[in-house]
């Protein structure tokens, strides 16, 4: 059994919401559930369109896939979404250059399967701590990994929004994949950088461990991000698995 809640918010600075979320506690294809977060990029309405099309394509592919392994299913679906975005962008100058991040997740028992492209994130949060499972595909993250800058400097770097991978950016896209064992008390947070650019990990943990229920946790995360500036769209999916026998 899962408890889930999702919310997307335009924030305080943007004129449109280019984020797109999908949350299904019910089975999709051979997967027992499916959760997606995407953060689009591109001029005009292209970013909004890219995130929507990517999420819809992944859902369609998962529903039709013969794959029973979640990670292989995600790989096929993300490649299909990338190809579709490339075709659509080539067919219209209004959509040229569009792309999107994406995080996909599915939970079966105590096993969480995750895929990501870009800098939207998935965390596992518990009363004891917070772990970022995904790795940002961003220029600043690459600099941190090479030792060029520190983690604190990266947080406030002017180029922190430059991503190095996106669905639609190249003819093929490389996603990262993770298989995570969940423990009792763990909660899964999926989010766009509109949240993580406004809140530090320790603030996210404090809010999630302090709020009464899953709805309040999500709402307080969005409110806090907006109170800290709300410079981008903010999207959150929370997943609370029940691992008791």
């Amino acid at each position: 059994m899962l408890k889930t809640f999702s919310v997307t918010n335009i924030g305080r600075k943007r004129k449109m919401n280019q984020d797109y979320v999908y949350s299904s506690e019910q089975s999709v294809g051979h997967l027992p559930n499916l959760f997606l977060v995407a953060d689009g990029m591109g001029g005009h309405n292209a970013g909004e369109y890219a995130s929507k099309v990517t999420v819809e394509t992944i859902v369609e592919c998962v529903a039709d896939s013969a794959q029973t392994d979640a990670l292989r299913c995600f790989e096929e679906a993300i490649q299909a979404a990338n190809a579709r975005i490339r075709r659509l962008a080539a067919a219209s100058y209004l959509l040229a250059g569009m792309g999107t991040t994406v995080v996909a997740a599915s939970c079966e028992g105590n096993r969480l399967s995750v895929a990501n492209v870009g800098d939207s994130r998935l965390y596992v949060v518990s009363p004891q701590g917070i772990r970022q499972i995904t790795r940002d595909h961003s220029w600043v993250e690459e600099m941190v990994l090479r030792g060029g800058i520190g983690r604190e400097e990266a947080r406030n770097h002017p180029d922190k929004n430059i991503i190095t991978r996106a669905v639609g950016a190249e003819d093929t896209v490389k996603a990262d994949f993770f298989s995570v064992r969940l423990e009792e008390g763990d909660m899964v947070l999926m989010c766009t950088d509109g949240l993580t650019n406004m809140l530090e990990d320790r603030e996210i943990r404090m809010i999630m461990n302090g709020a009464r229920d899953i709805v309040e946790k999500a709402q307080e995360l969005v409110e806090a991000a907006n109170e800290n500036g709300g410079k981008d769209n903010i999207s959150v999916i929370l997943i609370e698995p029940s691992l008791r026998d």
Side-chain angles (χ1 to χ4, degrees):
M1 294 292 292
L2 297 173
K3 291 181 181 178
T4 68
F5 186 76
S6 61
V7 59
T8 185
N9 184 278
I10 196 171
R12 293 187 171 177
K13 303 294 183 181
R14 302 291 188 176
K15 294 182 179 180
M16 69 171 61
N17 192 344
Q18 294 189 322
D19 289 357
Y20 203 83
V21 301
Y22 175 87
S23 176
S24 175
E25 297 177 16
Q26 307 303 313
S27 60
V28 179
H30 291 291
L31 302 190
N33 42 66
L34 180 61
F35 307 96
L36 300 163
V37 171
D39 179 1
M41 61 182 188
H44 304 287
N45 296 324
E48 181 182 32
Y49 188 60
S51 60
K52 180 176 185 291
V53 168
T54 293
V55 168
E56 289 177 348
T57 302
I58 291 173
V59 173
E60 291 169 8
C61 289
V62 171
D64 294 339
S65 178
Q67 289 284 358
T68 56
D69 179 82
L71 298 183
R72 291 181 180 178
C73 190
F74 288 158
E75 169 70 3
E76 290 181 354
I78 290 170
Q79 294 299 334
N82 188 75
R84 188 174 182 185
I85 293 295
R86 296 287 288 176
R87 287 195 302 269
L88 291 168
S92 171
Y93 75 93
L94 293 175
L95 302 178
M98 71 173 175
T100 184
T101 71
V102 71
V103 180
S106 184
C107 185
E108 184 167 13
N110 66 353
R111 184 59 57 186
L112 180 72
S113 299
V114 182
N116 86 290
V117 178
D119 63 354
S120 295
R121 295 179 178 177
L122 184 145
Y123 291 89
V124 173
V125 184
S126 71
Q128 292 74 40
I130 179 170
R131 288 185 293 147
Q132 182 181 337
I133 303 301
T134 55
R135 183 175 71 84
D136 295 353
H137 301 139
S138 68
W139 182 83
V140 166
E141 181 66 14
E142 295 294 335
M143 290 292 292
V144 170
L145 294 175
R146 293 172 186 166
I149 59 175
R151 184 64 63 185
E152 189 59 35
E153 183 182 353
R155 177 167 182 79
N156 300 302
H157 198 282
D159 295 327
K160 66 182 178 181
N161 292 324
I162 299 175
I163 60 176
T164 55
R165 296 188 211 171
V167 177
E170 304 287 345
D171 287 340
T172 59
V173 62
K174 182 180 179 183
D176 285 348
F177 301 94
F178 308 88
S179 183
V180 182
R181 180 184 174 87
L182 299 174
E183 305 291 342
E184 186 64 38
D186 285 347
M187 180 172 284
V188 178
L189 164 65
M190 303 169 67
C191 60
T192 55
D193 66 349
L195 181 77
T196 53
N197 282 341
M198 296 294 101
L199 298 175
E200 295 183 8
D201 288 2
R202 61 177 179 80
E203 295 174 298
I204 292 172
R205 178 192 169 199
M206 287 176 60
I207 290 169
M208 289 185 61
N209 287 332
R212 292 173 299 178
D213 57 39
I214 195 168
V215 176
E216 186 176 273
K217 293 175 197 293
Q219 292 174 338
E220 288 192 7
L221 286 171
V222 172
E223 288 171 7
N226 274 324
E227 287 172 3
N228 284 0
K231 295 180 180 179
D232 202 350
N233 311 140
I234 307 156
S235 293
V236 168
I237 295 178
L238 293 182
I239 306 167
E240 191 176 77
S242 178
L243 304 179
R244 293 188 180 92
D245 294 331

